[in-house]
Amino acid sequence: MEQLVQYDQELFLFLNGLGSTTWDQFWLIVTNKLSSIPLYALLLFFIYKQYGIKGTLITVVCVALLITGVDQLANAFKHGFMRPRPCRVAAFEATIRYIAERCGRYGYYSAHAGNSMAVAVFAGLALRRSYKNLIFFLLFWSAVVGYSRIYVGVHYPGDVLTGWIIGAAIGYGLYKLQQFLIVKYGQRS
C-alpha cells in the first residue's frame, strides 16, 4: 500500500508540475463548480425534450440524490481515511503549484471528480436515445474537471480516479432508478 501511495504522490508531482501561469486562470475556471451551470442547464433542456415534464421532475429528484450521495460519501471517506490533501503536506510546500483559492484538510476522494463522472454517466445514458454521442463529450468533460483538481494542487490522481469510479457507479445506479420511475410514473415524449 505504501508503494501505491508513493506512486500516487509522484504522479501528482509530475502532473501538477506541468502547469504554467499562462493556464492557471483557465484551470481555476474549470475547477469552479459554478462554471458547469450552463452545461447543466443544457442537459436539463435535453431531458425535458426527451422525457416531458413528469420525466424531468423524476430526473431532477434522481440528480439531487446523485449529487447528495456522491458528496456525502466523499465526506465520509475524507473523514474516515483522513488523507491530507497535497496542499497540506509540508514536504510539498516548495515543490507543488498550489493555485486553488482554498485547501480543505482532507481529500480522499475528489467529490468534484465524483460528481462530474456521475452526471456524465447518468445524463449520457439517460439521453443516449436522442443524443447517442453525448456521453463521449460528457466523459471528456469529467476528465477535464478531474484533472483540474490535480492542476490546482488539491487532489492526488488516486483521489480523482476513486471519485470517477464511485461517481460512475452512483450515476449508473441512479440512471437505472430514473428509468424505472419513468416507466412506472412518467410519460416518455
Side-chain angles (χ1 to χ4, degrees):
M1 189 63 160
E2 288 179 32
Q3 190 66 36
L4 194 57
V5 169
Q6 180 71 29
Y7 288 144
D8 196 26
Q9 290 175 340
E10 289 174 12
L11 184 57
F12 166 79
L13 292 172
F14 172 75
L15 292 172
N16 177 262
L18 294 174
S20 72
T21 54
T22 305
W23 288 97
D24 288 354
Q25 192 58 45
F26 170 78
W27 289 106
L28 284 170
I29 291 169
V30 169
T31 207
N32 186 319
K33 293 176 188 178
L34 299 178
S35 66
S36 296
I37 288 175
L39 175 63
Y40 297 150
L42 183 63
L43 292 173
L44 186 62
F45 173 72
F46 289 162
I47 291 287
Y48 174 75
K49 277 182 57 178
Q50 182 166 319
Y51 294 105
I53 191 70
K54 282 185 182 178
T56 300
L57 292 173
I58 289 168
T59 301
V60 167
V61 169
C62 288
V63 169
L65 290 171
L66 176 147
I67 291 169
T68 301
V70 171
D71 282 347
Q72 293 307 308
L73 193 56
N75 285 333
F77 270 57
K78 287 173 185 175
H79 295 290
F81 286 95
M82 296 172 52
R83 181 182 187 192
R85 291 177 182 256
C87 48
R88 293 281 186 183
V89 176
F92 292 161
E93 279 182 13
T95 316
I96 71 168
R97 299 184 75 255
Y98 172 68
I99 62 165
E101 293 177 10
R102 57 186 171 82
C103 180
R105 200 167 27 176
Y106 304 120
Y108 186 76
Y109 64 88
S110 169
H112 276 76
N115 277 316
S116 65
M117 183 58 75
V119 168
V121 169
F122 179 90
L125 292 174
L127 293 167
R128 71 179 170 202
R129 186 181 63 163
S130 300
Y131 308 96
K132 65 180 179 175
N133 293 319
L134 178 64
I135 194 165
F136 300 111
F137 168 78
L138 293 173
L139 291 173
F140 175 75
W141 163 73
S142 179
V144 170
V145 169
Y147 174 71
S148 76
R149 305 307 288 163
I150 298 166
Y151 186 98
V152 301
V154 296
H155 280 293
Y156 293 102
D159 302 342
V160 171
L161 180 61
T162 303
W164 283 333
I165 292 168
I166 291 171
I170 291 174
Y172 181 76
L174 281 159
Y175 158 73
K176 294 303 262 183
L177 176 64
Q178 180 241 23
Q179 292 296 293
F180 170 78
L181 294 173
I182 283 178
V183 167
K184 188 163 176 121
Y185 301 108
Q187 297 173 332
R188 289 182 186 243
S189 36

